């Protein structure tokens, strides 16, 4: 298989992002700042051309992908496997509310980069290990199925952290993934990999 280039980017800001609320699979739309961030991504992809876009089906990612791809006239593939981690009873809560309702140890366990218990989850949610497996399956399946060699992929903060830490195991502290940031990854016969674990800078 010829090497494929994947520009994976986080959706623009939502009101829950601004308020510090855990979103998970709750479908929260972009706010005005988020739409401006998506416009910046459109300028990024005007320079870094892609053959197709792929997106989570949650509206904040899908709208970001549509704005980023506007005027580029390339296909958009939507796949629910790119969704954020399902956070169960933590969705809609701030960190302080999680500590109050579930305890500080629950939040600390969730924040661990490489948790000793990979099956740890918020009540009613999925584990990071389950989420990573879902993401890898979705991306690899779609990329293999289509002939496109350069992709723009709209995803989520937690999803991108799962991928970055999986592909860069030497990182021992949580990577911060800002709204609208882009990471370049590659896919070939070895699977998904990331030669440079630093985000792409653009105006």
């Amino acid at each position: 298989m010829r090497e494929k280039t994947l520009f994976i980017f986080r959706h623009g800001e939502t009101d829950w992002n601004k308020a510090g609320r855990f979103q998970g699979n709750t479908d929260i739309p972009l706010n005005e700042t988020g739409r401006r961030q998506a416009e910046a991504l459109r300028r990024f992809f005007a320079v870094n051309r892609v053959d197709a876009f792929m997106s989570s089906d949650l509206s904040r990612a899908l709208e970001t992908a549509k704005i980023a791809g506007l005027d580029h006239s390339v296909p958009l593939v939507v796949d629910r496997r790119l969704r954020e981690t399902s956070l169960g009873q933590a969705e809609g809560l701030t960190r302080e509310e999680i500590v109050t309702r579930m305890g500080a140890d629950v939040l600390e366990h969730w924040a661990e980069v490489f948790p000793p218990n990979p099956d740890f989850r918020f009540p009613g949610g999925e584990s990071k290990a389950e989420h990573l497996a879902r993401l890898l399956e979705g991306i690899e399946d779609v990329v293999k199925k289509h002939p496109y060699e350069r992709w723009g992929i709209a995803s989520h903060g937690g999803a991108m952290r799962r991928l970055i830490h999986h592909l860069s195991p030497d990182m021992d502290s949580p990577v911060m993934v800002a709204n609208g940031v882009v990471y370049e990854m590659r896919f070939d016969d070895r699977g998904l990999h990331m030669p440079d674990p630093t985000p792409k800078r653009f105006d």
Side-chain angles (χ1 to χ4, degrees):
M1 176 190 296
R2 293 182 62 178
E3 183 179 74
K4 299 189 177 187
T5 299
L6 315 180
F7 293 107
I8 300 184
F9 56 95
R10 187 183 179 191
H11 61 78
E13 185 186 80
T14 70
D15 286 344
W16 276 21
N17 286 147
K18 188 174 181 179
R21 299 194 176 278
F22 282 39
Q23 291 180 122
N25 278 195
T26 305
D27 201 3
I28 306 300
L30 297 180
N31 60 22
E32 287 306 310
T33 297
R35 293 187 183 94
R36 288 195 296 271
Q37 291 166 336
E39 291 284 353
L41 283 164
R42 183 170 65 174
R43 295 192 293 273
F44 173 85
F45 285 109
V47 176
N48 299 275
R49 292 285 180 171
V50 295
D51 305 314
F53 281 90
M54 186 191 317
S55 177
S56 155
D57 64 335
L58 294 174
S59 62
R60 57 190 184 270
L62 189 53
E63 184 179 2
T64 301
K66 289 179 177 178
I67 294 172
L70 191 65
D71 300 331
H72 300 321
S73 300
V74 299
L76 171 60
V77 179
V78 180
D79 196 305
R80 65 180 289 116
R81 289 173 292 185
L82 272 66
R83 281 185 171 205
E84 183 60 285
T85 321
S86 174
L87 299 175
Q89 295 177 22
E91 294 192 9
L93 303 182
T94 64
R95 292 177 179 274
E96 292 76 15
E97 289 168 341
I98 290 172
V99 169
T100 298
R101 297 186 190 188
M102 302 180 192
D105 58 328
V106 171
L107 186 61
E108 289 171 5
H109 284 316
W110 183 255
E112 291 171 330
V113 175
F114 297 109
N117 177 8
D119 295 323
F120 178 82
R121 68 197 71 217
F122 289 113
E126 67 182 331
S127 70
K128 291 181 178 181
E130 289 171 328
H131 185 206
L132 176 62
R134 168 165 62 80
L135 289 167
L136 291 172
E137 177 188 57
I139 292 172
E140 292 182 9
D141 181 43
V142 172
V143 170
K144 285 179 178 179
K145 188 179 296 182
H146 296 277
Y148 312 121
E149 295 186 359
R150 293 174 62 83
W151 288 85
I153 301 179
S155 194
H156 302 268
M160 291 177 66
R161 282 191 291 276
R162 300 294 97 74
L163 292 170
I164 291 166
H165 283 297
H166 171 66
L167 299 174
S168 301
D170 291 339
M171 288 185 176
D172 56 3
S173 58
V175 61
M176 297 294 103
V177 180
N179 291 104
V181 74
V182 182
Y183 283 81
E184 183 176 343
M185 300 182 186
R186 306 291 174 84
F187 186 84
D188 56 23
D189 290 332
R190 296 174 294 165
L192 190 65
H193 54 103
M194 186 169 58
D196 182 1
T198 57
K200 295 291 180 183
R201 300 295 179 187
F202 59 96
D203 296 326

